[in-house]
Amino acid sequence: MSDQKQVTEMDPKESKKNIENIEEEVTEEPSPNQDRLDRIVELIKTNIAEDAIEVAFINELDRDLPCIVIRSPYWVKTAMLLKESELLKLNYLRNVSGIDFETHFEVVYYLLSMSTGNQLDVCIKVKADRENPSIPSITSVWNTANWNEREIYDLLGVQFPGHPNLKRIMMPDDWEGHPLRKDYEPIDPEV
Amino acid sequence: MNLLQDLTFSSFMWFLSGAVVLLAVVLGFVTYAIYFERKVIGWIQLRKGPNRVGPLGLFQTVADVLKLLLKEDTIPRNADRFLFILAPVIAFVPAFVVLATIPYTSLLQFADLNVGLLYYFALSSISTIGILLGGWASNNKYSLLGGMRSAAQMISYEVPLVMSVVGVVLLSGSLSLNTIVEGQAGGFWQWNILPQFVGFIIFIIAAVSELNRTPFDLPEAESELVAGYHVEYSGFRFAFFMLAEYVYVYAIAALTTVLFLGGWHSPLPFLDFIPAIVWFILKFLSIVFFLFWIRATLPRIRVDHLMSLGWKVLLPLALVNIFVTTIVIELIKYFK
Amino acid sequence: MIRTEELLLNVGPQHPSTHGVFRIIVKLDGEVITEATPVIGYLHRGTEKLAENLTYTQVIPYTDRMDYVSAMTNNYVLCHAVETLMDLEIPERAEFLRLIVMELQRIASHLVWWGTYLLDIGAMSPFLYAFREREMIVNMFNELCGARLTYFYMRVGGVKWDAPEGWIDKVRDFIPYMREKLDEYEQLVSGNEIFLARVKGVGTYDAQSAIDFGLSGANLRSTGVKFDLRKDQPYSIYDRFDFDVPVQTAGDCYARYLVRFEEIKQSLRILEQAVEQFPEDGQIMAKVPRVIRPPEGEVYTRIESPRGEIGCHIVSKKKPQPYRLKFRRPSFVNLQILPKLLVGETMTNLVTILGGIDIVLGEVDG
């Protein structure tokens, strides 16, 4: 019962206070991972292209995780670099998520290095436009991406050119639409 | 009773009634062997086993059989109808027929053939054809795989099985089961299990394999082939396959008793006052228990390991066993 | 003229050894697999879509149903993600309770795996033995939260129910009992010739491909990669306890078996220490706003579930409902390596290898 109350009743005052607290902390502290982020950005800029990176920032909410937004034409090359470079050796792709931001799609890759021993995460984001979303496949770089990309294709409708077998994975092959899109209309409204 | 006497109407009736009685005994055995197996395995696995139908669950198997008989008899549309119907019969009939030569006591035996052992092995291998046919006629990939496995397995293990008993035949100098048992009279030190221990081990392993029971239950391997050759069978046809399997348990347990455990003879001479049939049943039941016991204990062996065990280990061992037995027998003769 | 044909065999979705509704289409040459195509999605319930219309607390029961063999760790990963986003401090007692139930859950989950794996291999009895011990754990959970499978025990900020009186003692008594049983199981199974012949050298892969396929948990540690999130990226209060990360180097089914078996022992070690240090009293819930509205932002948290790295990626727009909730489901990721492992193996090994990966279909299909 009490859980239901949590849902329906609101206490805006308290939650607001909480959030304000967090935001204050965020602005005060300099991030310990800033160095690391700068180094990765530098590496990409020198090896790939100046404009490969759209933006790079530290996600303070997620334990100061370094995040880099890569422009999609440069993504496969960058992925190769991140995996192969002696400095980073980000050889473990732990998660791929697709997000529908209504204005655009975003695919988020969480990477980790298993060989350098420092085991720090890096988060890479690649954006795709809403009309005809397409992001180059990185299955050839990390095999983990294979089914993850299929899942994102299935549920969000993002195309992954270069994927060996881009078919629906969760939904039936003849399913219409991509359920995780925000504007998805269920075929059968009763379900 | 002798099979070789002239067949008259009265002797035919004798045989018929004898066969009916034996069938009743065997069916009774199968019913309670299944009950016993479930109880034993339940006991090993910390369960109670059947305990609802009748006192102590004694009628559980009866109820199960009734259910099977009342079930709709389904034949898959694409199955080979004739062979599909024929297969359970071919699997079951040899299982029952081989029982004719088993001597329970010196008097209680249907047919004392002088080639009794040969008769047993010759007929029991026909069941394989039934299983293979069943697997093929079902027109199902799983049952086909099960049937093929079964054929491969039974042919492979038939060879060491027969080889392993050659030592026994050499010792007693006869293929007649009755004579083999007579040769083991006078206490447990006379039993063939002692001089033929290697043969006994090979025989038991090969026999379990012939029975398609764990750890050699590959043809029906439920975790891989779902149910193997009888996946499409239901109702009383399925019951026939099960029946065949349990009648073979009966036959193999009886044969082991006869060949290696001295048949109806008591282990110690002063225990002779106990009726011979009691000894036979005791030995027979301990073999049956052993079969159930290993079913609850061992995982399933893999098909390629099974083949290499059969051809590379059991067969050479059986041959060496025959060789050594022959030499020893000759040496004993020579020094006498 | 003899004509040979490849046999196309459809295994599942209803098959005793696919652990649910997994389906795999194999091309057989005799009994040797030449090609394997997994088909999943039969249990897809759209958890992630459903979550977008639910509050965070309402999503927790859905996580129970993802990896239903290990619901506690799933509860935790979601709560942990929201807590990280909100920067919540969890009361000591709640942390201990969470840790204890998660480790008990790990044992229960590995026991289910152990039993069913041996059932796959054809040994019937271990399954029932394993369920006897699991039953004790499940009963403890039942006392704690009134459910036996889908617990819904954790909440953002703590746990829902405090341990009833004498509960901690039950956990304490369970530890030596379980140790004794583990020794028994080791004697029963780990040295069995048939078992060894079936799992040794089967389904082997090296550390390189394990990392490349993103394997985690025992599947990764069986190749010699010592990576356990409890040690390497500690969460909760794991850094306070002394335990080892079991590692094997062979990378075959037997190595995975040994790793999981050893993990049960290590979980017992953690439990032993946790029970000793368990705070006498204290709060079990942090001060959490009645409506949970995490600040706008993104977080990805990951913890070590019995099956590997389970992660939760939340995109929050400062609403009571998540804007996007994505679970990194370890079974889903681990399963990807299966087609590669199966080529050239026999039908019998299909079952051994699939069982060795340890999947739960609720999690694969999400």
Side-chain angles (χ1 to χ4, degrees):
Chain A
M1 279 306 277
S2 62
D3 294 323
Q4 294 227 322
K5 272 186 191 165
Q6 277 192 12
V7 176
T8 46
E9 287 177 23
M10 291 195 186
D11 192 352
K13 220 165 146 191
E14 205 172 333
S15 67
K16 208 175 173 188
K17 214 162 65 189
N18 210 328
I19 291 156
E20 275 168 6
N21 271 339
I22 294 163
E23 278 173 354
E24 268 167 38
E25 273 176 18
V26 163
T27 42
E28 277 169 19
E29 279 175 33
S31 167
N33 280 340
Q34 190 64 45
D35 279 11
R36 192 177 149 74
L37 178 66
D38 292 343
R39 263 185 295 144
I40 301 171
V41 169
E42 194 55 41
L43 188 78
I44 295 173
K45 278 190 175 164
T46 49
N47 286 293
I48 307 293
E50 272 297 317
D51 62 344
I53 295 174
E54 203 173 313
V55 64
F57 59 93
I58 294 278
N59 185 355
E60 286 90 352
L61 287 176
D62 192 0
R63 304 181 206 77
D64 294 311
L65 185 72
C67 292
I68 303 167
V69 182
I70 306 274
R71 284 183 215 281
S72 77
Y74 300 102
W75 174 218
V76 177
K77 263 194 190 164
T78 316
M80 287 295 244
L81 176 74
L82 293 174
K83 191 187 177 187
E84 304 295 335
S85 105
E86 281 303 312
L87 183 72
L88 298 169
K89 278 225 174 294
L90 294 165
N91 52 0
Y92 188 77
L93 176 62
R94 57 183 2 175
N95 183 37
V96 186
S97 325
I99 304 157
D100 178 8
F101 277 111
E102 282 163 282
T103 50
H104 63 278
F105 285 106
E106 205 171 87
V107 176
V108 190
Y109 303 83
Y110 287 93
L111 299 169
L112 180 74
S113 174
M114 282 278 181
S115 26
T116 51
N118 53 12
Q119 280 162 349
L120 277 174
D121 301 56
V122 177
C123 164
I124 306 284
K125 297 180 176 195
V126 183
K127 288 180 180 169
D129 63 334
R130 196 70 171 55
E131 287 312 304
N132 199 359
S134 169
I135 289 169
S137 166
I138 46 143
T139 303
S140 52
V141 187
W142 295 285
N143 264 317
T144 327
N146 189 334
W147 282 14
N148 280 301
E149 283 176 353
R150 277 178 71 184
E151 193 187 10
I152 294 167
Y153 161 73
D154 186 1
L155 302 178
L156 284 162
V158 179
Q159 292 287 338
F160 290 93
H163 190 282
N165 180 28
L166 197 65
K167 284 198 306 195
R168 286 190 181 271
I169 189 165
M170 293 296 173
M171 313 303 285
D173 283 341
D174 54 354
W175 194 265
E176 276 177 36
H178 302 284
L180 267 182
R181 286 194 180 189
K182 291 283 174 186
D183 55 0
Y184 173 72
E185 294 280 336
I187 301 170
D188 185 356
E190 277 179 30
V191 177
Chain B
M1 285 176 283
N2 191 339
L3 268 184
L4 301 172
Q5 74 194 26
D6 288 338
L7 192 67
T8 60
F9 183 72
S10 68
S11 66
F12 171 73
M13 287 315 283
W14 266 110
F15 277 122
L16 187 68
S17 53
V20 170
V21 170
L22 180 66
L23 184 65
V25 170
V26 169
L27 288 180
F29 164 80
V30 170
T31 310
Y32 286 96
I34 293 173
Y35 171 78
F36 181 58
E37 172 168 32
R38 292 177 64 177
K39 276 285 185 197
V40 166
I41 291 177
W43 168 57
I44 292 174
Q45 294 174 347
L46 318 159
R47 295 183 284 118
K48 283 200 164 70
N51 66 347
R52 294 284 134 173
V53 187
L56 299 169
L58 279 169
F59 299 138
Q60 181 66 51
T61 321
V62 180
D64 287 346
V65 171
L66 270 179
K67 184 208 75 176
L68 283 176
L69 293 180
L70 294 174
K71 232 175 163 179
E72 188 192 350
D73 173 33
T74 54
I75 298 177
R77 188 180 299 161
N78 290 331
D80 187 322
R81 221 183 142 79
F82 177 67
L83 292 181
F84 188 85
I85 294 168
L86 191 65
V89 181
I90 296 184
F92 173 70
V93 170
F96 185 62
V97 172
V98 294
L99 299 182
T101 52
I102 305 284
Y104 303 98
T105 69
S106 52
L107 299 171
L108 192 59
Q109 184 185 17
F110 280 84
D112 182 17
L113 296 181
N114 55 3
V115 287
L117 200 54
L118 204 60
Y119 169 85
Y120 180 99
F121 289 121
L123 281 180
S124 71
S125 41
I126 295 177
S127 278
T128 316
I129 299 175
I131 288 174
L132 186 61
L133 273 185
W136 185 81
S138 304
N139 198 9
N140 177 308
K141 289 165 184 173
Y142 286 111
S143 64
L144 180 64
L145 282 173
M148 296 308 281
R149 275 187 182 186
S150 166
Q153 176 178 342
M154 288 183 146
I155 291 167
S156 307
Y157 276 73
E158 199 80 37
V159 182
L161 185 73
V162 176
M163 291 293 182
S164 66
V165 297
V166 172
V168 174
V169 175
L170 286 172
L171 281 180
S172 51
S174 168
L175 280 169
S176 155
L177 291 174
N178 217 329
T179 321
I180 290 174
V181 180
E182 287 303 345
Q184 301 177 64
F188 70 87
W189 51 89
Q190 299 286 350
W191 294 358
N192 283 335
I193 185 172
L194 293 178
Q196 281 297 314
F197 190 71
V198 179
F200 174 72
I201 297 294
I202 299 167
F203 180 82
I204 282 289
I205 295 175
V208 174
S209 180
E210 282 288 295
L211 289 172
N212 286 339
R213 292 182 66 86
T214 323
F216 301 103
D217 57 343
L218 296 110
E220 32 192 307
E222 63 187 34
S223 61
E224 303 144 31
L225 299 182
V226 192
Y229 60 88
H230 56 58
V231 67
E232 294 287 358
Y233 281 91
S234 71
F236 70 94
R237 291 185 219 285
F238 170 75
F240 260 88
F241 275 122
M242 287 310 275
L243 194 62
E245 190 182 321
Y246 279 90
V247 173
Y248 268 121
V249 169
Y250 178 99
I252 283 287
L255 192 66
T256 317
T257 311
V258 166
L259 291 179
F260 292 99
L261 300 179
W264 58 82
H265 294 300
S266 62
L268 294 164
F270 68 87
L271 289 171
D272 277 346
F273 64 91
I274 297 172
I277 187 74
V278 173
W279 286 118
F280 185 90
I281 291 174
L282 278 180
K283 292 169 189 173
F284 168 81
L285 285 182
S286 49
I287 298 287
V288 173
F289 174 77
F290 174 76
L291 291 173
F292 295 163
W293 180 18
I294 57 170
R295 180 173 169 198
T297 313
L298 294 176
R300 186 180 305 117
I301 201 165
R302 205 167 80 197
V303 70
D304 48 335
H305 295 156
L306 177 93
M307 288 299 156
S308 58
L309 178 71
W311 292 104
K312 291 185 189 159
V313 181
L314 293 186
L315 185 59
L317 258 182
L319 290 174
V320 168
N321 183 45
I322 295 171
F323 191 64
V324 171
T325 311
T326 325
I327 289 175
V328 171
I329 289 172
E330 286 303 314
L331 282 179
I332 290 171
K333 264 189 202 161
Y334 182 79
F335 284 111
K336 265 179 184 169
Chain C
M1 183 67 186
I2 297 169
R3 191 167 54 99
T4 57
E5 252 180 51
E6 278 180 335
L7 186 72
L8 205 63
L9 187 69
N10 178 42
V11 182
Q14 280 127 350
H15 184 280
S17 295
T18 52
H19 295 258
V21 287
F22 176 61
R23 178 181 171 207
I24 185 160
I25 301 161
V26 289
K27 224 179 237 173
L28 289 176
D29 179 13
E31 275 220 23
V32 179
I33 296 168
T34 53
E35 198 188 320
T37 320
V39 182
I40 62 170
Y42 289 92
L43 201 58
H44 181 64
R45 293 147 300 182
T47 310
E48 292 167 10
K49 182 72 181 174
L50 288 166
E52 289 176 10
N53 296 312
L54 299 168
T55 63
Y56 287 97
T57 314
Q58 284 172 328
V59 180
I60 299 172
Y62 284 85
T63 65
D64 285 334
R65 283 145 184 88
M66 263 189 342
D67 179 355
Y68 39 74
V69 181
S70 164
M72 285 294 187
T73 46
N74 297 12
N75 277 191
Y76 183 77
V77 73
L78 178 68
C79 296
H80 183 47
V82 181
E83 285 154 10
T84 314
L85 207 51
M86 295 171 72
D87 207 15
L88 275 178
E89 189 73 34
I90 310 303
E92 186 85 350
R93 194 177 164 88
E95 285 281 26
F96 268 95
L97 276 170
R98 281 177 170 193
L99 179 122
I100 290 171
V101 292
M102 278 197 290
E103 287 311 310
L104 281 173
Q105 182 76 84
R106 193 180 312 277
I107 296 171
S109 169
H110 280 341
L111 281 173
V112 172
W113 173 80
W114 185 79
T116 50
Y117 190 51
L118 283 153
L119 197 63
D120 287 347
I121 286 179
M124 201 168 33
S125 305
F127 178 72
L128 287 128
Y129 297 152
F131 267 61
R132 172 182 55 184
E133 271 74 62
R134 178 180 177 267
E135 190 65 20
M136 299 175 78
I137 297 176
V138 166
N139 282 338
M140 283 193 254
F141 286 160
N142 195 8
E143 277 180 46
L144 196 61
C145 58
R148 290 166 52 84
L149 192 72
T150 51
Y151 309 110
F152 191 24
Y153 178 57
M154 297 183 196
R155 296 291 191 280
V156 175
V159 294
K160 181 67 188 169
W161 310 102
D162 203 349
E165 216 178 297
W167 192 81
I168 291 294
D169 295 325
K170 276 186 188 159
V171 180
R172 188 178 290 129
D173 295 342
F174 175 74
I175 298 163
Y177 171 80
M178 189 68 226
R179 287 217 170 105
E180 193 186 302
K181 291 294 169 197
L182 281 179
D183 288 342
E184 206 176 283
Y185 298 158
E186 215 154 19
Q187 282 174 18
L188 181 68
V189 175
S190 306
N192 185 310
E193 279 295 328
I194 300 176
F195 173 72
L196 292 181
R198 290 212 45 190
V199 291
K200 266 192 180 165
V202 173
T204 313
Y205 51 80
D206 58 358
Q208 188 61 44
S209 41
I211 290 172
D212 193 33
F213 276 94
L215 303 190
S216 50
N219 292 309
L220 180 64
R221 289 191 284 275
S222 68
T223 60
V225 182
K226 197 169 181 171
F227 182 71
D228 187 320
L229 290 163
R230 291 176 293 174
K231 267 263 195 282
D232 292 305
Q233 298 186 329
Y235 53 93
S236 188
I237 46 171
Y238 277 104
D239 46 356
R240 296 190 206 170
F241 302 106
D242 180 32
F243 64 98
D244 299 323
V245 178
V247 171
Q248 291 285 327
T249 48
D252 55 3
C253 286
Y254 186 55
R256 269 161 260 163
Y257 173 89
L258 289 177
V259 167
R260 293 204 178 96
F261 210 84
E262 187 60 31
E263 269 179 27
I264 302 182
K265 292 183 187 166
Q266 295 302 329
S267 289
L268 287 172
R269 262 179 79 187
I270 299 174
L271 277 175
E272 203 169 36
Q273 299 165 48
V275 167
E276 286 317 312
Q277 297 171 24
F278 190 71
E280 280 297 312
D281 43 28
Q283 289 293 314
I284 54 160
M285 273 296 274
K287 219 167 151 37
V288 180
R290 298 206 69 107
V291 174
I292 297 158
R293 286 172 198 257
E296 186 158 348
E298 214 172 307
V299 72
Y300 174 73
T301 56
R302 58 275 173 284
I303 66 164
E304 188 74 28
S305 101
R307 259 151 281 283
E309 172 182 329
I310 182 164
C312 178
H313 182 194
I314 296 180
V315 179
S316 161
K317 293 255 176 178
K318 216 172 171 176
K319 290 242 173 62
Q321 299 90 5
Y323 185 78
R324 171 84 168 98
L325 184 62
K326 149 95 189 182
F327 289 103
R328 181 220 199 257
R329 310 181 304 275
S331 298
F332 176 73
V333 180
N334 289 348
L335 194 56
Q336 286 193 64
I337 200 169
L338 185 68
K340 188 188 153 197
L341 295 182
L342 287 182
V343 173
E345 297 284 357
T346 56
M347 255 307 276
T348 320
N349 282 351
L350 182 149
V351 174
T352 319
I353 293 170
L354 179 67
I357 293 176
D358 185 17
I359 53 163
V360 169
L361 260 293
E363 196 177 54
V364 171
D365 293 343

